[in-house]
C-alpha cells in the first residue's frame, strides 16, 4: 500500500513531466495528449522501478536557488546565442576555436553532470568529456573558454545545489 508521501511524489513527478512534455510539444489534440500521458506513465513506471532497485527516491530540488539558476542559465543561453551569431555572421578571422579542461573539484559531485550539461546548453561551447577532476570543453571562441574558466557557472551550479531556502 502507498502512503501519502509516495502518492505526492508520484503526482508531483507526473505533473512536472507532463507539463514539460506539453511545453516541448505544444500540441493539444486528443491523440497527441494521450501519447503524452502514455509517455509520462511509462517514465513513471521506469522511475518507480529504479527507486525500488536502488532504494533512493529522486528528490526534486525545486528551491529558490534552483529557479535562480534556471533563469540565470536562460540569460546566458540568450547572451551566448547573440555572441555565436556575431561570430558566425562576422569575419571568420575572429573565430578562434579552443579546447580546454576546467576543474570540477569546486563543483559538488552530484552536480557535475548539471555543470557539464549547462556548458553544452550554452551556444558556442560543448562539454566533450568529464572525469573526477576536469570537464573538457570545446569552445567556438577562446573567449568563451576563458569566461567559463572564471568559474561563474560553477559557482551558480554550487548555489543551485544548496538545499536551504
Amino acid at each position: 500500500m502507498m502512503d501519502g508521501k509516495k502518492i505526492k511524489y508520484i503526482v508531483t513527478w507526473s505533473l512536472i513531466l507532463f507539463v514539460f512534455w506539453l511545453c516541448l510539444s505544444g500540441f493539444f489534440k486528443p491523440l497527441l495528449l494521450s501519447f503524452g500521458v502514455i509517455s509520462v506513465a511509462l517514465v513513471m513506471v521506469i522511475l518507480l522501478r529504479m527507486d525500488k532497485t536502488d532504494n533512493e527516491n529522486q528528490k526534486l530540488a525545486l528551491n529558490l536557488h534552483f529557479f535562480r539558476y534556471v533563469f540565470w542559465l536562460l540569460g546566458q543561453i540568450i547572451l551566448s546565442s547573440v555572441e555565436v551569431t556575431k561570430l558566425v555572421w562576422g569575419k571568420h578571422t575572429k573565430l578562434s576555436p579552443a579546447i580546454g579542461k576546467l576543474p570540477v573539484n569546486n563543483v559538488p559531485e552530484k552536480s557535475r553532470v548539471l555543470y557539464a550539461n549547462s556548458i553544452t546548453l550554452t551556444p558556442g561551447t560543448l562539454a566533450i568529456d568529464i572525469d573526477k577532476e576536469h570537464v573538457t570543453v570545446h569552445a567556438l571562441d577562446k573567449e568563451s573558454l576563458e569566461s567559463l574558466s572564471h568559474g561563474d557557472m560553477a559557482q551558480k551550479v554550487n548555489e543551485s545545489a544548496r538545499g536551504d531556502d
Side-chain angles (χ1 to χ4, degrees), residues 86-99:
K86 286 179 187 177
L87 282 172
V88 172
W89 285 356
K91 295 180 182 177
H92 292 293
T93 57
K94 287 186 175 183
L95 288 177
S96 57
I99 291 181

Side-chain angles (χ1 to χ4, degrees), residues 10-31:
I10 291 169
V11 168
T12 303
W13 268 111
S14 297
L15 286 173
I16 288 171
L17 289 171
F18 187 72
V19 167
F20 182 68
W21 180 89
L22 198 58
C23 288
L24 290 179
S25 73
F27 293 112
F28 297 97
K29 296 186 179 184
L31 177 66

Side-chain angles (χ1 to χ4, degrees), residues 8 25 32 37 64 68 74 94 103 107 118-119 124 133 152 154:
K8 181 181 175 186
S25 73
L32 296 173
V37 169
L64 183 58
R68 278 188 204 151
L74 288 172
K94 287 186 175 183
V107 178
S118 298
I119 290 171
E133 297 175 14
D152 292 342

Side-chain angles (χ1 to χ4, degrees), residues 66-81:
F66 174 76
F67 288 112
R68 278 188 204 151
Y69 178 71
V70 168
F71 286 116
W72 177 84
L73 183 60
L74 288 172
Q76 293 302 303
I77 290 170
I78 291 168
L79 290 173
S80 294
S81 297

